[in-house]
Amino acid sequence: MSVEELSREIILDHYQNPRNHGRLAQPTLANRGHNPLCGDEIELSIGIDPNEERIIEIAFAGRGCSISQASASMMTEMVKGQMLEEAAAAAQSFTQRMGNREPPPQELEQDVDALQGVKKYPARVKCALLPWTTLRESVDLYRHREPATVAGDDRFDCADAP
Ligand code: ZN
């Protein structure tokens, strides 16, 4: 089987059997990404261990083309368990690989390598990048979040208490 055929099968498998699909009940943060060119949508929910700054849980929901959804599945599989720093670096490295002119690898070391073949179709590169861009934004959001405050509902209850 050629690398191209193998890549197509891996992408199809992730599309049809997405890993880490759904929404976390109590995510540390949730974030959405949208690719207007293709109509792809990705919603990430991430559970972060604040002491280690590690991604302990991650799930995605969304809709769109097979490339965007398969890429999201691969991304969650790859960064689950990683430190935020590692995950951000993985996203950056993936983005660079999708943007350079190097030919796709002749061997697939990990599932995510299957997306390198998409480079032949420039219009689809944004589909492959969407989950990773959303991940990078999520890490930024987490790093720049406001310190935890009392939730609005609690305040309301207090004010209304007899
Ligand atoms: Zn797409």
Side-chain angles (χ1 to χ4, degrees):
M1 191 185 288
S2 73
V3 174
E4 277 187 21
E5 286 168 329
L6 186 59
S7 295
R8 262 200 300 276
E9 287 207 352
I10 291 172
I11 290 169
L12 194 62
D13 178 49
H14 275 271
Y15 179 57
Q16 291 176 334
N17 311 293
R19 282 43 150 196
N20 306 305
H21 193 258
R23 291 181 180 87
L24 302 181
Q26 293 189 311
T28 311
L29 63 93
N31 187 25
R32 284 165 189 271
H34 180 224
N35 170 20
L37 294 178
C38 185
D40 306 317
E41 289 176 7
I42 293 289
E43 185 185 327
L44 290 182
S45 50
I46 307 177
I48 295 166
D49 176 335
N51 298 317
E52 287 198 318
E53 294 215 318
R54 188 181 293 281
I55 297 176
I56 44 179
E57 282 188 284
I58 182 166
F60 82 97
R63 57 182 180 185
C65 70
S66 58
I67 301 293
S68 65
Q69 305 303 306
S71 180
S73 169
M74 292 170 186
M75 183 275 287
T76 59
E77 199 171 45
M78 188 168 174
V79 304
K80 192 173 180 178
Q82 284 188 342
M83 315 276 293
L84 287 182
E85 205 169 309
E86 292 175 283
Q92 181 151 11
S93 149
F94 179 79
T95 305
Q96 278 168 357
R97 285 182 74 195
M98 291 304 289
N100 70 27
R101 289 170 189 279
E102 285 168 29
Q106 283 312 296
E107 279 180 41
L108 305 179
E109 286 174 23
Q110 43 191 353
D111 284 4
V112 75
D113 292 340
L115 292 167
Q116 292 297 311
V118 172
K119 286 203 281 196
K120 280 195 296 190
Y121 313 97
R124 310 305 302 281
V125 168
K126 278 208 158 42
C127 305
L129 287 179
L130 176 65
W132 301 83
T133 309
T134 311
L135 174 69
R136 286 169 78 172
E137 286 171 1
S138 303
V139 172
D140 283 348
L141 281 174
Y142 181 77
R143 292 204 165 128
H144 297 108
R145 71 197 182 284
E146 297 289 321
T149 51
V150 178
D153 286 346
D154 292 342
R155 246 187 352 248
F156 183 76
D157 287 341
C158 283
D160 269 318

